[in-house]
Amino acid sequence: AQSTVAGQALVAWGAPEYNGGSAITSYTVTAKSGSLTKTVKVSTGSTAFRNRTVTLSGLASNKVWTISITATNAKGTSLASSTEVIVR
């Protein structure tokens, strides 16, 4: 994740290494900083789903945000993968 615009973070991720034999149907991207939370669901068919990127906006500036991503399919939801970013 990176932040080059005030209040925003561009988040990009790779496909899961293993999907349990079932295609991924959505990703959930969550940003948390203290009590603040922003969640975006990225569904099949969207450009964000195909590119595995999403821009989170409306994030408080000058804070450390933990960005977590999960993948969901017919088998269930994956464990979260996460990173931290300081939003400008």
Side-chain angles (χ1 to χ4, degrees):
Q2 69 181 32
S3 176
T4 57
V5 175
Q8 293 185 350
L10 173 63
V11 181
W13 62 94
E17 290 180 25
Y18 180 68
N19 64 12
S22 181
I24 302 300
T25 55
S26 68
Y27 294 97
T28 302
V29 181
T30 303
K32 291 184 180 182
S33 181
S35 63
L36 304 173
T37 302
K38 172 84 174 191
T39 300
V40 174
K41 185 173 182 177
V42 180
S43 298
T44 307
S46 69
T47 300
F49 184 91
R50 285 189 300 279
N51 296 337
R52 289 190 302 276
T53 61
V54 69
T55 298
L56 299 175
S57 57
L59 304 179
S61 297
N62 301 314
K63 293 190 177 288
V64 175
W65 287 83
T66 300
I67 310 292
S68 301
I69 302 164
T70 59
T72 302
N73 64 12
K75 303 278 185 175
T77 299
S78 70
L79 296 175
S81 176
S82 59
T83 190
E84 290 185 341
V85 63
I86 297 174
V87 173
R88 297 178 188 253

